[in-house]
Structure formats: C-alpha cells, structure tokens
Amino acid sequence: MDLSVNLAGLTLKNPVIAASGVFGYGEEYVKVGDIRWFGAVSVKGTTLNPRAGNPPPRTCETPAGMLNSIGLENPGAKVVIEEKLPWLAQFGVPVIVNISGESYEEFRTLGSMFSESPLVSALEVNVSCPNVRAGGMAFGVDPRSCYRATYAVRRAWHGPLIVKLTPNVQDISSVARAAVEGGADAISLINTLVGLAIDIKKRKPVLGSVTGGLSGPAIKPVALRCVYEVSQAVPVPVIGMGGILDYRDALEFIMAGATAVAVGTAVLVNPSVPRSIVEGLIKYGQEEGVERISDLVGVAWR
Amino acid sequence: MDLSVNLAGLTLKNPVIAASGVFGYGEEYVKVGDIRWFGAVSVKGTTLNPRAGNPPPRTCETPAGMLNSIGLENPGAKVVIEEKLPWLAQFGVPVIVNISGESYEEFRTLGSMFSESPLVSALEVNVSCPNVRAGGMAFGVDPRSCYRATYAVRRAWHGPLIVKLTPNVQDISSVARAAVEGGADAISLINTLVGLAIDIKKRKPVLGSVTGGLSGPAIKPVALRCVYEVSQAVPVPVIGMGGILDYRDALEFIMAGATAVAVGTAVLVNPSVPRSIVEGLIKYGQEEGVERISDLVGVAWR
Amino acid sequence: MSTPEIHDVLAEVMSVKRCRGGVYRAELVAPEIAAVAKPFQFVNIKVSPGNDPFLRRPFSLSRIEPDEGIIEITWAVVGKGTGIMATWEPGREVKILGPLGNGFSLEDKGLTGGFIAPLGGKAPELILVAGGTGLAPMYPLVMSARKSGFTVSLFYGGRSLESLMDTDRFEQSGCEVHISTEDGSAGFRGVVTGLFESRLRNLSASDIVVACGPRPMLQRLKSMCGQRNIRLYVSLEERMACGVGLCKGCAVKTSGNDPGYRHVCTDGPVFLADTVELGGE
Amino acid sequence: MSTPEIHDVLAEVMSVKRCRGGVYRAELVAPEIAAVAKPFQFVNIKVSPGNDPFLRRPFSLSRIEPDEGIIEITWAVVGKGTGIMATWEPGREVKILGPLGNGFSLEDKGLTGGFIAPLGGKAPELILVAGGTGLAPMYPLVMSARKSGFTVSLFYGGRSLESLMDTDRFEQSGCEVHISTEDGSAGFRGVVTGLFESRLRNLSASDIVVACGPRPMLQRLKSMCGQRNIRLYVSLEERMACGVGLCKGCAVKTSGNDPGYRHVCTDGPVFLADTVELGGE
Ligand SMILES: Cc1cc2nc3c(=O)[nH]c(=O)nc-3n(C[C@H](O)[C@H](O)[C@H](O)COP(=O)(O)OP(=O)(O)OC[C@H]3O[C@@H](n4cnc5c(N)ncnc54)[C@H](O)[C@@H]3O)c2cc1C
Ligand SMILES: Cc1cc2nc3c(=O)[nH]c(=O)nc-3n(C[C@H](O)[C@H](O)[C@H](O)COP(=O)(O)OP(=O)(O)OC[C@H]3O[C@@H](n4cnc5c(N)ncnc54)[C@H](O)[C@@H]3O)c2cc1C
Ligand SMILES: Cc1cc2nc3c(=O)[nH]c(=O)nc-3n(C[C@H](O)[C@H](O)[C@H](O)COP(=O)(O)O)c2cc1C
Ligand SMILES: Cc1cc2nc3c(=O)[nH]c(=O)nc-3n(C[C@H](O)[C@H](O)[C@H](O)COP(=O)(O)O)c2cc1C
Ligand code: FES
Ligand code: FES
C-alpha cells in the first residue's frame, strides 16, 4: 500500500506524525526510538520567550488516559531556530513547528521568525493549549479570535499552515471554518480536553495547576467525532489525533476523514509506536487490497 | 458517618443517585439489585409523547467507557405517571423524573403534568441529551435557551427543580448560572460527551445514528472539572456524575464540590454498585473520622 | 414475560479448553444459575477485573448441568474480551450475571402440548439450523426437546471442516446431524441454507425451525420458511451493555408497520422471525 | 549529562516473592539493561497489557547482576499497578524500558578520586539514609562504593519492625546498619533523621550523604546537612509518564532565584539537595 499522503503541499512518506508535546525537539526521542518511522514530527509547543512551565505535579493517570499540565515548557523560538531545528534536520523527516502566542502580535512575530528558517516544513498554530493562562485555548474557543490568530501567522508565513483546534467548544466546525478563512491549509485536531483529578488523601486537586489536559484512548471517541464533522465542513485536509494506540485506531481516524494522524500519549507509553502503526497499516493494505492509504480518507461518510 | 444530604429541600438518606437512563423506571433493576441502596433514583429521560428510540446499533464499547445512542426510548409522560411511578413508589426511595422537551412549550407541559403527581420528588430538566434531533442538547449549549427551558418548567412545577447540563460547551458555568436564574434549585452534571466510533470492517460509523454519548470512567476527569467549576460558580447544590465506579470516585466528586453523586454506566456493568459505594463511604468515614459526608463537599477548593 | 431469577455470582472457572473449530469452551461453577437456566438463555461476563475491557460480554449457555451446578460456555476469539477468556486458567474467578433473556423452551411457547401425542403417524420435528458459533446454544435445546418427544435434526454449516465445531454430543443425544462446508471439505458443499432447502420441502405446519447464526443466514431462512409457512424462530445478537433491560441498548426493529423496537436481552434472544426485521441497513 | 543506552525489552519474570516489610521483590531477565545499569537508575514498566493501568510505572533497580543478565526491583503495594505486580508469576513477560535516569555513581561525580588514597587516617564515608521503600535503590550503590574504598553506613527507619525491609544483604556487604522505628519495636525509637543526627556531628566535608525516602524526611535532612555543610544528595520521585524526557512531566523546582524546573527522569533521580526545592506546597 502506498502510505504517502499530501498535506497542504507537503508530501509525507507515511501519515503518522509525532504529536506536539510528546517528542520534545527529538533529542530525548532518539534514545528510545527511530525518528525516521514518523512521516513528520511536530515539536513541542514553542513560544516567543522561553517558558519554565507549570508547578508539579504535572501529570496524573486517569482511566485509559492522562492529565497533563506541562504549561508549554520550552526554550523559546530563538533557541529552537538556532539549536534545535538544525540538529533535528539531520533525520530528513519533515518538521512541523507548533507555535503558541499570547497575542495576535506574538503569533505574527513567531510566524516571521520561523519564516527565516529553511528547516521548517510547516507551522502548526496552537490555539488550543489548556495549560497556559494567557493565550492558549482562549484563541481557539471562538471563531473570530481563531480567525485572527490564524491570519496573524498567515501574513508572516508563506509555507504550509496548520491550525490546531480544541474540542472544548460547542461547535468545532465553525472554528475550523474560521481558521480556513484566516488562511489555514490544514486543520489538526484534537488538543486535550480540560479535566481535573482530586487526590482524596490530600483532599486537593492532584495537579499543581489544578486543571490539566486529558489525552489518551479515553478521548478517542470525542476526537473521532470532531474529525468526522470537521473533515466534512472544511475543504482542507485534517490531521486527526486523540488516543491513537495502534494501526486500527489510525484507520478509524482516516476513515472518519483524517488525511494524516498524530500519536501523542501513546509515544509516552510505547516509544516505538510509529513503527508498529506503519507496519500494521502496510499489512492491512496487503490483506484488504487497498492500494493507497489516501483512498480510505473519509470513506465512513463519503 | 452521617450519609444524608440535603438536595434542594429534599433529604436523601445517602448521596448515591441512579443516573437517568441506566435504571429505566426500576422494573428491570429490581431483578438484579435492591433499589433501596440508592439515596434517590432518576428515571429514564421522559418525553411528552412515547418515543421508540434510535436505530441499532445503539451502544459501543470504547476505552474505559461506552457510547450510547438510545434516543430517549420511553413510554411518554402519561404512562410514566399512571403506571411507572405508582409501581416505583413502593420502594420509598425519592424519585427524580428526568424530562426532555422539544420546545419550551413542551417543557412547560411536562412540568405541569408532573405537578399533578404526588409521587415525584424532583424534576430533572434534561437540556443535555446528545441523542435526539429536536430539543435535546440544543437547549443546554446556550445560556439563554437553558434559562428559558428552566423557566418554562419552573412556572409549572413548584417542587425541587434540577437542571442537567452538558459538557459539550465552552463555558459550562455560564450555562449553570443561567439555569439558576431560570429557577433551578440544583444543577446536575455531566451528561455525556458527543463521540463517535468507526467500524473499520464495515468502514462506517458503528452506531446506527452515527454519533452517540460518551460515558464511563473515560470522562471522569472532564466531569470533575465541571463539578469543580460549577460548584464554585453557583449558589445551589451540584449533583456530580460521570464515570463513578466506586466510593473513591464518589469522594473525588464530593471533594470537588458535589453534594450528591449519580452512577450511570457503572450500574450497567455492576448492578449492585450503589451498595458497594455506600458501604465504602461508611468505612471511609469511620477510618478517617469524618462525621458527616456533607463536611467534605467542596473541600478541594474551600 | 416471566420474571427470571438473575444472579450476579463470582464463578470459578473449572476447565477451559480449545476445541475443534478453533473455539474455546469453559465450565463454570455457578449452581444458582445452573439450577434455573433454560435453553437459549445467556450470561453476561466480566472477563477480567479492571476497565479493559470495560463492559461485560454476553455468551449463551452451551451446556447446563443443574445437578452438578455447572454451566458451560463456548466462544470464538473475535476481539479483546474473547481473547482474554482464552487465557483463563482453572481456579480463576469471574463475575457472571445470569441467567439472562427469556430463553426458548418448547413448553413456554405452548408448543409441546399437541405434539407429545402426535395426531398422525409423524412425530413433530424440531429443526435446528446453525452457522458458526451459532451452534453453541443449540445443545441445551436438543436435550429438552428430546424429553418432550420431538424428533430433532441439526443443519450446521461453516467455511471448512476446520471451522466446524464438534457435533458428537448432538449425535449422542439422538439428533440427526447434517453438515455443510463452503469448500466441500466435509458434508454438503455450499452454505447451510442450501443444505436445509432439501429438507424444507418435507416440513409441515406443526414443525418448528430454530436458527442461530450470522444475520444473512437468518434473513435467507426467514424468506425460505416464510414462503412455505413454516414456523421459524431466530436467535439474535446485538451489542449489549447491561444484558438485563436497563439501558435499552440491544434494540432490534419490529417488522411491519409498527415503528418500534424490541430488546434482545429482555424480549429475546429468540424471536419468531416474522416479528422482527433482519434486513441489513 | 551522559547519553544512557535505553532499551525497551520484553523481560521474563524469573521470580516474585513477598518479603519482610510487606514489600515484593521480582527478578527480571533483562541482560541489555543489567549490562549497563548504574546505581539509582530505574526502569519504567508496563505492568500489564491493555489500558488499565494505562501508563508505565517507574521502579528503581534494587539489585543489578550484569553477569547473570538479571535486574531486581522491590516495591510496596500502594495502588492498582503495584497490586497487579504482586500477582505476577514466574514466566510472565513484561515490557520494561531502561535503564533510565542518570543514576548515581561516585566515579561520575568525581568523588572517588581523592578518597581512594585518604589524606588523613580516616577513610571517606558514604552515609545512606533511607525511609520506607527508599531503601530499594541503596544496595547497588553500596556495592560500588565498597569497591571504591568508601566506608558505608546505612540509617534506615520505618514505623515498626514489621514495616522494615530485610537489611541482611547490606550487612553482608560490610555496611554498618542502624535501624530506627517510630514505635520502638526495633533499634532507635523515633524517626530516622533523629537517629542520623548523632552521626552527623562526626561527619566531615569529605563525607557524602545520600538519602531516599518521603519528602518530609528529605527536607529535614537538607536543613540538618545544610547547617553543617555536609554534602547531601537526595533521590526524588515525581509522577512520571514517559520516564525518558519526552513529556516534561516529572518537574522539580530548582532552588534559589532560578525560576526553572529540572526533571527527575533525565536530570535525576538523584540531585544535590542544595539545587532543588523540597518544600511541600
Ligand atoms: C445474547 C448473546 C449471546 C452470545 N453468545 C455467544 C456465544 O455463545 N459464543 C460466542 O462466541 N459469541 C457469543 N455472542 C457474541 C459475543 O458476545 C461477542 O463475540 C463478544 O462479546 C465479543 O467480545 P470481544 O471483546 O472479543 O470483541 P470486541 O473486541 O468487543 O469486538 C470484536 C468484534 O465483535 C463484534 N461484537 C462486539 N460485541 C458484540 C456483541 N455483543 N454482539 C455481536 N457482536 C459483537 C464487534 O462488532 C467486533 O467486530 C453472543 C452475543 C449475544 C448478544
Ligand atoms: C524514579 C522512581 C523510582 C521509584 N522506585 C520505586 C521503588 O523502587 N519501589 C517502590 O515501591 N516504588 C518506587 N517508586 C514509586 C512507584 O513508581 C509508585 O509507587 C507506583 O508508580 C505506584 O503505582 P500504582 O499503580 O500502584 O499506584 P497508583 O494507583 O497509580 O497510585 C497510588 C498512590 O501512589 C502515588 N503515586 C502514583 N504514581 C507515583 C509516582 N510516579 N511517584 C510517586 N508516587 C506516585 C499516587 O499519588 C497515589 O497516592 C518510584 C518512583 C519513581 C518516580
Ligand atoms: C504531555 C503532553 C504535552 C502536550 N503538549 C502539547 C503542546 O505543547 N502543543 C500542542 O499543540 N499539543 C500538546 N499536547 C497535545 C497533543 O499534541 C495531542 O493533541 C493530544 O494529547 C491528543 O492526542 P493523544 O491522545 O494521542 O495524546 C500535549 C499532550 C501531552 C500528553
Ligand atoms: C445508556 C445510557 C442512557 C442514558 N440516558 C439518559 C437519559 O435518558 N437522560 C439523561 O439525562 N441522561 C442519560 N444518560 C446520561 C447519564 O445519566 C449520565 O449523565 C452519564 O452517563 C454520565 O455518567 P456515567 O459516566 O456514570 O454513566 C444516559 C447514559 C447512558 C449510558
Ligand atoms: S443490553 Fe441493556 S437493555 Fe439489553
Ligand atoms: S517522565 Fe516524562 S519527562 Fe520525565
């Protein structure tokens, strides 16, 4: 089966992307897995200035999932451009830079900073992080502000532009349409759901910053619903994610309308998950006589 | 430990309620469990006219949860009042009638119909069902329409009035406040999250009606977050639910701000779950020296 | 509808074995259930502790031994739950809820009365048609039908010889067994409805056909028996959560103009074929 | 920071036993990990297949046998994962990722050089302070410290005699063992920091204290050692997801004016006490 997919002008050798936030900038990943099994990698959410992140505890297991409140710990755009990307480039895997701004202005600045780097294959505008106070999810819960954030980056960045949406809204399709109007070439979804856990011994929230983002298999049905809806509502490709653990999960997303898929939490539990998904897809293609993975995109509603 | 709680003027002997939709009107439950372990029971979502429900398949397992698209299959308010409630009354457990209308007018009619019955302890206005086309969740995603639906019932019904909210919104607290303004004496949350599953063999959505409501442990973190938020935002008690399987889960909800809790999906897997939760709470109270369960309500934020 | 006694018991697994046809069979110690269970009733099993898998799984009783306090289930590995069950070892305890459903007993349906003393020379016949694991629930019915004086024959089909379960216990109970395989590796070459067709011609209005297997097989039988006015009962499967009537999840559409649904777990699993819609969406 | 070699292996459980102090101990066949692991490194274990529990669980290596290709872990049952581990049987295979963390070796820290040939008469001392399961990672360090010529003593405390793990292997390695119990059922009556206090007076700047146990114990030690300028290393635990630096979940606040965080899995688990904040929120 031909696994390659075309994503907003970018050709990926396979549709399995490392989701932002579980891959860092690749330095830790290389110790436990081979980056080249990924069709593309999305690096940790990057901000204009370095961020130290949120107070611990930052993670907590939940039924078939986890909460995280990392808080965009990252070294800032400058270090990423000067140190992280040149190192990561050696693997020859397309690099998507996930960016997060506190204002439209900051989004534009990030867009133009990364325009200077030839090592960026695509930008992923994160208007959906539930773990930071300023910016973050605020831009993604309202079509107007999503439009403006997207447009701010679009003015400065001329490569493939992906906008990553939050499911914490009542009508994700209208936010997706706004992103496309603002200039998005692709939509990625979903980011985490806002959740909370209580430590019954301490009688307090578990996480240092009270709420966190829920990810993992638990959210897969919500993610699939968003992909099914949004892929029918917008004319651009969708990158689906949320709880993908194996090739069967990946197929569910592709059939629901995703052109490519991303694996987040699964990488934390099983670093070699991209390889097992790619191999699973190849085997499936042989057994079912599917020639191109792209033939399956959206079959559930087409 | 004193397990009794006061819910909008209604005293429950313990805080464990049967969530609407997993208890029918009690006739099936008595074959597998003893109703008297519940502090109160919320009957199946009841509509003005009988409803046959949605086409099968109607359920589907998901990681640590399930999707359902029952579609409010119920015999209609008249039969409930004349046949179901008189039978259910024999157990001496307060009965909450969960009602669902397709219009404000219908909500008002339901309110006045149930006003005639002395067997109803409280009404639970369901503005959060994701599985019906008309009405259902539509009223619960917008503060204004939630206010109007609540107010429609309030005008006709003078007993305890609970409004049940959906988490499929971006700001659940503002919807909760609108319900209180409309006359709600208590808020119950959460109803299911909208989700979907794909049958990769058939390359189609699993459920006959495409999307369904996600319930079970998977959604517990989302439910806890909603309870934590809403219990601080409104002056009325909150009934918490979403993924409760045992007394520890119940304690998480109570500490997060719930005055009472409801068990839904857990009843389907383990019909005697109310008993095990009640016994677990009693043991916990002894070991930790807690005198009244109500002393724990909201300790995580108080 | 009778009110069955339903028990939620922690049953010990007494034996598990892999059998012909690639299916597994386990004996469970559950005296409360064995004492009251009827043919075509089922149990809902919590396959393993914890949340993965989360829901219980429904399985028909493939043997009921009230005296020994034992029930048997027979399953094919098709996914996570059945896969875990295949790793069960004797001594393990599992939560099982049952017996569930109305089951199917000739007495309940008022079918035995006239037949025990046949009017003509011919004894009333019970014809069983099974595809795949649909054979599992048939054996308890054979046992009770023989007691009631029925002549019983079984038509059972699969893809190939290897895919077929062992039918010895049926033969030993005096049941005539007819086999079909799609690849011709055993018995009649073709599908089981093809094999059954020849027999259909000789059936009369007092005979009964009970079928269990894939929907397309049941659909085909429904039209075959309908044309000849032969009474057909079908045992249906639907995705279940509770198995006891709480969730209304296991709906099956009623046929005719009635726009309603019936529920496999409380109204079934066996339905008179005419009363339900079997057509694929 | 060195780049450790990390392996994700399917390891066979060779033995599991319940030991004194109510803890469990398992030997796992993992030659790749045993060959390179250092004291205070840990492994991240997928306790059972499936999603419940979902994340791996981190455990220190309580013994490393490179020649036999075996690692040992020692744990207390505190929740779901550790409870399942207590039901492991020999022959079972589990996925383990390791060795993780920097570990703690006297050579790496450049601590052994000057001490092997002591200047004065007194050999340099390594003092280990452990509370509860904090004893687990200490043994591999004793082994390597003895090789480097250190005098090693252990201060180990718990609630009562029953809550204490066996310390035989420490004594057999020539380590002086001092015990405390809060109820006085063995050794010094009181907390381990109280017992350690008497020894603290005799320590000098060339000696090293390494501690592992509950945060309050570590906090107390930090202030005790800080006052006397004794070098203290603490081994920290934080909730972990990946254990390898991918998620940035295992943050611990750095002390002083630096507003940043370090990560237990990649920067630790052992930290110079002065560099991190141990204070409870
Ligand atoms: C009343 C009743 C009696 C049954 N008796 C038997 C029996 O005696 N022997 C036997 O082998 N099987 C029987 N089944 C089917 C059996 O319940 C399913 O095969 C089993 O639940 C699958 O579990 P799993 O975790 O292995 O599969 P999953 O991983 O959950 O799913 C695997 C596949 O099975 C299908 N499936 C899942 N649940 C059901 C269900 N409830 N009904 C139909 N298909 C389903 C799914 O669509 C999927 O394709 C019965 C079902 C019912 C409703
Ligand atoms: C680097 C490192 C090394 C460790 N080495 C050992 C060891 O050698 N022996 C040992 O017994 N334990 C050790 N632990 C702690 C061990 O990982 C936890 O006890 C275990 O993960 C709990 O799993 P559970 O599923 O049983 O508990 P859960 O059901 O997940 O939780 C039970 C309790 O444990 C707490 N907890 C959960 N995860 C952690 C965690 N990662 N760190 C601290 N507390 C946690 C929770 O707050 C909760 O109160 C180590 C932890 C770390 C980070
Ligand atoms: C530890 C962690 C950190 C994350 N950080 C980011 C981030 O920096 N930017 C972002 O857009 N999404 C971030 N995410 C969200 C994931 O990219 C993904 O959208 C989400 O986790 C759902 O996918 P999953 O269920 O496969 O994990 C993070 C998720 C996790 C678990
Ligand atoms: C099968 C099923 C049917 C339900 N029907 C209703 C309903 O009729 N009315 C309603 O308000 N909620 C209904 N719910 C939602 C539950 O009452 C509850 O809010 C939700 O399932 C979350 O709780 P849980 O995770 O404990 O199940 C239903 C849930 C399930 C699983
Ligand atoms: S499975 Fe719940 S009603 Fe039949
Ligand atoms: S546990 Fe993931 S970075 Fe340490």
Side-chain angles (χ1 to χ4, degrees), chain A residues 59 268, chain D residues 44 239-251 263-266:
Chain A
T59 64
L268 306 179
Chain D
N44 212 4
R239 285 169 184 263
M240 289 191 171
C242 68
V244 294
L246 297 169
C247 69
K248 306 299 173 203
C250 57
H263 302 98
V264 172
C265 75
T266 45

Side-chain angles (χ1 to χ4, degrees), chain A residues 44-45 47 49-58 68-76 102 129 131-133 208-209, chain D residues 247-254 258-263:
Chain A
K44 176 65 191 170
T47 49
N49 299 311
R51 284 183 64 99
N54 287 335
R58 288 181 177 183
N68 88 77
S69 60
I70 308 301
L72 295 181
E73 177 178 330
N74 81 93
E102 296 189 5
C129 180
N131 292 323
V132 289
R133 229 158 256 170
S209 48
Chain D
C247 69
K248 306 299 173 203
C250 57
V252 47
K253 207 155 173 36
T254 49
D258 177 354
Y261 295 95
R262 304 189 74 191
H263 302 98

